[in-house]
Amino acid sequence: MKAANLPAQIAAHIIPRPGGQMVYHCLGCQADHGIDQLLYTCPDCGQVLLIQDCDPKGLQRLSGETWRQVFDYRKTLTVPALKGIFLFHEFIAPILPLEDIVYLGEGHTPVVEASPLLQERVGMRFFYKNDGQNPSASFKDRGMACALSYLRHMIRHGYADQVLAVCASTGDTSAAAALYAAYLQPEVKSAVLLPHKKVTPQQLSQPLGSGAAVFEIPGVFDDCMKVVEALADNYPVALLNSKNAWRILGQESYSFEIAQAFDYDLTDTVVVLPIGNAGNITAVMSGFIKFYRAGVIASLPKIVGVQSLHADPVVRYYSQPDPAQRRFVPVTVKPSTAQAAMIGNPVSMPRVIHLTDTYDRLSGRENVFFVPVAEQDIMDWQLTANRHGHIACTHGGECLAGLIEARRRNIVSAAQTAVLDATAHALKFAGFQEMYFENRFPADFQVSPKNELVNAPTLIHPADLEHVPQPGKPLTGEAFARFVQRVSEEIACRLNLSTKRGQP
Ligand SMILES: *Cc1c(COP(=O)(O)O)cnc(C)c1O
Ligand SMILES: [Zn+2]
């Protein structure tokens, strides 16, 4: 649709007018720092930062109703910069000019209602929001779209010329970083650090294919992270880990989209997310808070953060009911099929604590919950979801296991509606499915296959069939007819099919 064809009061706001002011805000000493430099931690006290709009009340210049209409009409436009997460430009990074925005197809991922049979099993209405349908097949693209748009902005305005973007990753961050950096060649190049043998072959292939410099490091993600921090401290590189607060801004789009998908009515809605480095849950809480404060939504949905028992520092922190007694202790992780969340010392923990407080306070009750799940349940529920028509990755399975655990603990009731974050595409983690089907999980994963969920291909080669087609050697005539007949008979036999009536 063309802007000119819109109702007058919408047309005035349909194309965002970049401007305003944003600052890095330190969650430790409360200092603000200018965004004309790339900062990851506070220069004064070393704490993590969040980026804040200096005039948050500015978002109240329009009524909630007008914002809702602007976003809904904006969806019909064909302006590339507004096709992705920046449909919500004013709520993400209003300072960015539209010509700096990088759009590679991220955001607006499908919200798919769970199959009736699966909902019946779980005992409530729920949806998967398939963030695996982003361009690099995980939600990390949301944050990268924002972080790389900011870098492009810095380059265009002469704050930086060439940028080497680096990140440590459990797999998906590097895939996304390498993809967006590759798009901005030659000004932006990327280098990624991965824990050796701790990412899946699919995830390793992604930054390689995008042309990034890929380094494999002994140890786990937490070790890679330390090396990247040393690089960022000592060399002129742009850090793209979730310490980078621009990524958090981009990931807030997940919340905005859920609001829009449910017509901005989130009464009795529960959003379930896996937690690793805790950037995602930070962003999702922050996003809902912004929409709530601006009157775009009238109530804050319940948030349920899920962690595997093999990497559960956030769950442990909140298992202490008395806030005054809570103390954060990093954990040593054990192997997890929710591999992208296998993090013992989440960078965003201070953000989680800060935002959980704010979220509960604005909700007028405890509205953010944390539940642990077993590795066995992660795999069983991932496979179960996918046997009902979904494309959940292991973390999507973790969310479903978490929803069931939240029901068991009466955190969530049957009358509510849940939205589960399938954070990546199932194909990225096909190796875990294969290990399950072939009963090859190393003991420390603590996963053993359930027969009813195992699947394997069957080779059909009837013993009485002398000739079968081979590459470069097709069968013809009688031999081919016999091959087709015998193989189809054999398959029909295995599927218990009887011949159609009237056929011999
Ligand atoms: C990064 C990632 C997570 C964890 O998100 P955090 O922001 O680190 O908490 C979960 N699932 C997938 C697929 C991921 O790539
Ligand atoms: Zn500080």
Side-chain angles (χ1 to χ4, degrees), residues 57 62 80 94 134 205 255 288 292 306 314 430 439 441 462:
K57 290 233 161 25
L62 300 188
N134 277 299
S205 82
S255 303
F288 284 128
Y292 179 74
V306 190
V314 183
N439 196 8
F441 268 110

Side-chain angles (χ1 to χ4, degrees), residues 26-31 33 42-47 49:
C26 172
L27 293 180
C29 69
Q30 311 296 322
H33 303 281
C42 176
D44 300 338
C45 77
Q47 263 280 23
L49 306 164

Side-chain angles (χ1 to χ4, degrees), residues 196-215:
H196 185 47
K197 296 219 163 99
K198 297 284 185 311
V199 307
T200 73
Q202 295 80 2
Q203 290 170 323
L204 179 58
S205 82
Q206 290 186 289
L208 289 173
S210 296
V214 178
F215 301 100

Side-chain angles (χ1 to χ4, degrees), residues 10 24 90 93 136 272 289 299 309 312 333 377 401 413 419 482:
I10 302 301
Y24 295 106
E90 296 89 340
S136 81
V272 187
I289 288 172
S299 63
L309 286 165
D312 61 348
V333 295
D377 294 330
S413 83
V419 182
R482 187 167 156 67

Side-chain angles (χ1 to χ4, degrees), residues 264-325:
Y264 307 96
D265 180 3
L266 299 180
T267 329
D268 277 325
T269 306
V270 184
V271 177
V272 187
L273 311 149
I275 305 177
N277 230 351
N280 196 24
I281 193 165
T282 293
V284 168
M285 286 193 283
S286 177
F288 284 128
I289 288 172
K290 279 188 192 172
F291 258 23
Y292 179 74
R293 285 188 164 143
V296 183
I297 53 175
S299 63
L300 289 166
K302 185 167 288 177
I303 305 282
V304 177
V306 190
Q307 291 198 301
S308 160
L309 286 165
H310 285 188
D312 61 348
V314 183
V315 168
R316 285 183 196 212
Y317 175 85
Y318 282 101
S319 67
Q320 165 59 256
D322 177 6
Q325 300 287 318

Side-chain angles (χ1 to χ4, degrees), residues 138-140 172 251 274-280 340-341 393 395 423-424 429:
S138 87
F139 76 82
K140 299 295 199 299
D172 294 329
Q251 288 174 200
I275 305 177
N277 230 351
N280 196 24
C393 64
H395 314 81
T423 45
F429 298 91

